[in-house]
Amino acid sequence: MMLPAHLLLLLVLVLLCSVFVYRSDGACAEVDSDTEAVAGKGFKLGCISCKRRSEVPGTATVQWYFRPKGEPDFFPIYSYNENGPTIESDLFMDRIDWNGSKRSLDIQDASIYLFNVTFNDSGTYRCFLNRILSYDNEYEYNDEIDKVVHLTVVAKATRGTASIVSEVMMYVSIIGLQVWLLIEMIYCYRKIAAAGEEALREAANAEYLAIASESKDNCAGVQVGE
Ligand SMILES: *[C@@H]1O[C@H](CO)[C@@H](O)[C@H](O)[C@H]1NC(C)=O
Ligand SMILES: *[C@@H]1O[C@H](CO)[C@@H](O)[C@H](O)[C@H]1NC(C)=O
Ligand SMILES: *[C@@H]1O[C@H](CO)[C@@H](O)[C@H](O)[C@H]1NC(C)=O
C-alpha cells in the first residue's frame, strides 16, 4: 500500500525537475566559465551577462583581454562589435572563434572558443561587455560588465574536488533517502499491523462479552422457567 504512493511522489518530483530543466533552456543563466583547459584541445572561455530586463532592447560590444601567467599587464586579444569579430593579438591569430550570442548585437553570451590550447595560454582573461539599453527610445542607459576567468592549462583533464564532493553527496543523499523510506515503511507497516491486532482483539472481546451476556440471559431464562 505504501510503496506505490512513494513511487508516485518520486515520479512527480522527477517530472517537475525535467519541466524546470526544459524551461530554463531558453532563458539566460549566468553560468561561470570553466577554468581548466587541456593542452592541445579546444576550450570555451565563458562570459555570460543576462539583461536584468529582458524586454528592454539593447546592444552590446565585447572586448576580451588577456594577462599571461606571471606578467603584469593585460592586453586586448579579441573584440566583437558592429564590425564583427576581430582577433587583436598575434598569440591568438586564427585560434579564437565566437561562441556567444548569434545573429544579434543584443549580446548576453560573450563566450569565445580557443583552439589548440598551449601552456602559454595560462593566465587571466577578462571580458568587458559594454551594453546600451534603450528605454522607449527616449533615454539610453550604459552598463559596463566585467568578468574574470583564471585559466589553468593542464596536460590531462583532472576532476575538480567540487565535482567529486558533489558526486559523493549525491550518493549519500540517495542512500539516506532510501533508508528513510525503508524506516518509514516499516514504521507504517507496524502501526497498521498493531492497529489490526487491536481491532481483532476488540472484536473478539466484544464477541466474548456478547456470548457471555447472551448465555447469562439464557441461564436467567432457564432459571425463571424452572
Ligand atoms: C563554439 O565554437 C566551436 C568552434 O567554432 C564549436 O565547435 C562549438 O560547438 C561552439 N560551441 C558552442 C556552444 O557554440
Ligand atoms: C590545431 O592543431 C592541429 C594539429 O597541430 C592543426 O591541424 C589544426 O589546424 C590546428 N587548428 C587551429 C584552429 O589552429
Ligand atoms: C610559449 O612561450 C615561450 C616563451 O615565450 C615560447 O618560447 C614558446 O615557443 C611558446 N610556446 C608556444 C606553444 O607558443
Side-chain angles (χ1 to χ4, degrees), residues 8-70:
L8 206 69
L9 192 71
L10 210 68
L11 201 71
V12 167
L13 278 177
V14 167
L15 280 178
L16 274 179
C17 281
S18 53
V19 164
F20 275 112
V21 167
Y22 275 117
R23 290 195 59 174
S24 67
D25 232 23
C28 178
E30 296 199 0
V31 183
D32 282 339
S33 177
D34 278 341
T35 56
E36 190 182 276
V38 178
K41 299 246 165 73
F43 181 77
K44 180 178 173 175
L45 277 164
C47 171
I48 301 178
S49 160
C50 299
K51 279 199 300 188
R52 297 283 166 266
R53 308 262 309 268
S54 58
E55 74 280 7
V56 177
T59 61
T61 57
V62 177
Q63 179 76 56
W64 276 90
Y65 293 86
F66 174 51
R67 183 181 65 194
K69 198 174 172 187

Side-chain angles (χ1 to χ4, degrees), residues 71 91 95 118-121:
E71 293 194 15
L91 278 180
R95 286 208 301 134
T118 73
F119 287 102
N120 289 0
D121 295 336

Side-chain angles (χ1 to χ4, degrees), residues 40 94-95 115-116:
D94 297 326
R95 286 208 301 134
F115 292 100
N116 291 357

Side-chain angles (χ1 to χ4, degrees), residues 25-220:
D25 232 23
C28 178
E30 296 199 0
V31 183
D32 282 339
S33 177
D34 278 341
T35 56
E36 190 182 276
V38 178
K41 299 246 165 73
F43 181 77
K44 180 178 173 175
L45 277 164
C47 171
I48 301 178
S49 160
C50 299
K51 279 199 300 188
R52 297 283 166 266
R53 308 262 309 268
S54 58
E55 74 280 7
V56 177
T59 61
T61 57
V62 177
Q63 179 76 56
W64 276 90
Y65 293 86
F66 174 51
R67 183 181 65 194
K69 198 174 172 187
E71 293 194 15
D73 298 318
F74 280 94
F75 53 86
I77 58 169
Y78 185 87
S79 66
Y80 192 95
N81 52 34
E82 58 274 9
N83 302 323
T86 317
I87 296 175
E88 298 179 342
S89 161
D90 288 339
L91 278 180
F92 294 93
M93 210 35 84
D94 297 326
R95 286 208 301 134
I96 299 182
D97 206 358
W98 179 247
N99 251 179
S101 304
K102 298 195 170 60
R103 288 181 296 277
S104 160
L105 266 182
D106 189 358
I107 297 165
Q108 300 197 76
D109 185 349
S111 306
I112 55 176
Y113 194 82
L114 279 182
F115 292 100
N116 291 357
V117 171
T118 73
F119 287 102
N120 289 0
D121 295 336
S122 301
T124 308
Y125 293 80
R126 269 180 106 162
C127 120
F128 282 89
L129 240 116
N130 197 330
R131 173 174 290 147
I132 296 168
L133 293 168
S134 313
Y135 287 93
D136 301 328
N137 296 323
E138 276 176 15
Y139 83 100
E140 289 183 338
Y141 176 76
N142 209 317
D143 204 5
E144 269 279 352
I145 299 120
D146 167 14
K147 303 225 169 190
V148 175
V149 182
H150 298 283
L151 185 69
T152 320
V153 179
V154 297
K156 261 179 75 181
T158 62
R159 277 187 68 192
T161 34
S163 125
I164 292 169
V165 165
S166 65
E167 189 175 331
V168 169
M169 288 303 290
M170 186 186 77
Y171 285 121
V172 166
S173 65
I174 286 175
I175 291 168
L177 277 173
Q178 296 279 349
V179 167
W180 177 70
L181 209 117
L182 202 70
I183 291 173
E184 188 90 330
M185 275 170 60
I186 291 171
Y187 174 75
C188 284
Y189 176 79
R190 286 212 173 143
K191 214 168 160 183
I192 288 169
E197 247 166 52
E198 185 75 7
L200 270 180
R201 205 175 306 126
E202 251 165 40
N205 273 348
E207 209 170 327
Y208 173 76
L209 283 178
I211 291 169
S213 65
E214 203 177 307
S215 55
K216 221 167 92 191
D217 284 351
N218 283 350
C219 286

